[in-house]
Amino acid sequence: MWQRLREFARHLKAELLALSFAARDPRTPWPARALALLVLAYALSPIDLIPDFIPVLGQLDDLLLVPAGLWLALRLIPAEVLSDARARAAAHPARLARSAWGLGLMLALYALAVWLLWRGWLGPWWQHRS
C-alpha cells in the first residue's frame, strides 16, 4: 500500500511539473492557464486552505483539492500541449519549489474572503441585512 502511495505522489509531482510547463505555453487557452496557475499556486503555497495542524482535515484538503484541481486543469489543456509538457517534464525532472507568488495569491484570496464575509456578500448566514 505504501508503495502505491509513493507512486501516486511521484505521478502527482510529475503532473504538476507538466502543468507548470503547459501553463507557460502560448497555445494554452487563458481559462486553462488561469486554472493551472491557481492549482499550482495552491499546491506550492506554504499555506493551505485548511492548515495542516488540524487533524485529518488539514491533510484531507491536500489529498482532495490538489488532485481534483490538477485533473480539471489537465482536462482543459489541449492534448498536443499537454503531451509536449509531459515530455518536457520527463526530460527535465525538477523539483517544484515553494512559491512566493503562490503565497501571495493565497493571502489575497483569504483577504478577499474575509472582506466579502465582513461586507455580508458571501451569504445570509453571516449577517442579516434589512
Side-chain angles (χ1 to χ4, degrees):
M1 178 176 152
W2 292 112
Q3 184 62 27
R4 286 183 57 184
L5 286 174
R6 276 187 276 229
E7 288 296 321
F8 178 72
R10 261 189 236 117
H11 177 72
L12 195 63
K13 288 178 185 178
E15 289 293 283
L16 284 170
L17 182 59
L19 185 64
S20 72
F21 288 135
R24 292 183 234 147
D25 193 311
R27 299 174 291 170
T28 302
W30 73 265
R33 186 177 299 194
L35 181 61
L37 292 175
L38 186 64
V39 169
L40 287 165
Y42 183 77
L44 300 176
S45 173
I47 60 172
D48 290 337
L49 187 62
I50 302 171
D52 287 340
F53 64 82
I54 297 174
V56 180
L57 291 177
Q59 288 77 33
L60 195 60
D61 75 326
D62 290 331
L63 293 173
L64 294 176
L65 291 178
V66 173
L70 180 63
W71 176 83
L72 183 58
L74 292 176
R75 296 299 176 269
L76 295 175
I77 296 172
E80 63 275 358
V81 174
L82 190 55
S83 65
D84 290 348
R86 283 180 174 149
R88 189 171 169 198
H92 305 290
R95 183 170 178 221
L96 291 170
R98 292 285 183 195
S99 169
W101 285 101
L103 174 62
L105 179 63
M106 293 309 298
L107 288 174
L109 288 174
Y110 284 140
L112 177 64
V114 167
W115 183 76
L116 289 174
L117 284 171
W118 179 70
R119 298 285 299 178
W121 291 348
L122 282 184
W125 59 270
W126 181 261
Q127 178 182 8
H128 185 272
R129 302 185 114 182
S130 46

